[in-house]
Amino acid sequence: QLQLVESGGGLVQPGGSLRLSCVDSGFTLDHYAIGWFRRAPGKEPEGVSCISSSGESTNYGDSVKGRFTISRDNAKNTVYLQMNSLKPEDTAIYYCAADTFCEDDLRYMLVRTSDSWGQGTQVTVSS
């Protein structure tokens, strides 16, 4: 069973940057597509980004397009989410999840994986 662990969250000023990491110590991730999702209080879960198993294909939610970049280093068994130009509305708990593939509409992967999300990492953007 995959047990993904997110890290890298914290408090940051608007316009700042954070780099999140997603790792699994028990299984290799190189055959999995990895998605990033977030939950904010009072809001429905939202798809953030997804990357194919090879790293050749990526997609993003409309709200983060142009600001966030997903990448992976399969040799390190790690997936990253580089978040730039952060806004207060990016404040949320961020989760990563593994699946066979990610569609352009991240809601499909969200519904498939949401029951397996772990602890997540808190991102707070505040002035």
Side-chain angles (χ1 to χ4, degrees):
Q1 181 178 358
L2 294 176
Q3 291 186 256
L4 301 179
V5 178
E6 304 90 346
S7 64
L11 276 65
V12 65
Q13 296 286 318
S17 298
L18 287 172
R19 185 179 177 90
L20 307 184
S21 297
C22 174
V23 301
D24 191 290
S25 61
F27 296 86
T28 59
L29 300 178
D30 58 351
H31 292 297
Y32 294 95
I34 303 294
W36 284 97
F37 306 88
R38 65 188 184 186
R39 297 179 188 267
K43 297 181 180 179
E44 292 295 310
E46 181 182 15
V48 176
S49 184
C50 190
I51 188 168
S52 64
S53 60
S54 67
E56 295 180 350
S57 179
T58 62
N59 58 28
Y60 300 89
D62 290 340
S63 63
V64 307
K65 183 74 174 181
R67 300 186 297 119
F68 291 8
T69 302
I70 190 170
S71 63
R72 68 192 302 161
D73 186 341
N74 285 340
K76 297 180 179 179
N77 208 38
T78 303
V79 176
Y80 305 97
L81 183 68
Q82 179 68 47
M83 306 186 296
N84 298 326
S85 302
L86 283 163
K87 305 175 180 179
E89 51 262 45
D90 295 318
T91 297
I93 301 176
Y94 284 71
Y95 306 87
C96 60
D99 207 346
T100 55
F101 67 98
C102 41
E103 302 90 340
D104 289 340
D105 186 350
L106 291 169
R107 294 183 64 184
Y108 291 103
M109 189 178 183
L110 187 153
V111 298
R112 291 198 302 270
T113 66
S114 61
D115 192 51
S116 64
W117 295 354
Q119 185 173 351
T121 185
Q122 176 72 50
V123 172
T124 302
V125 185
S126 179
S127 59

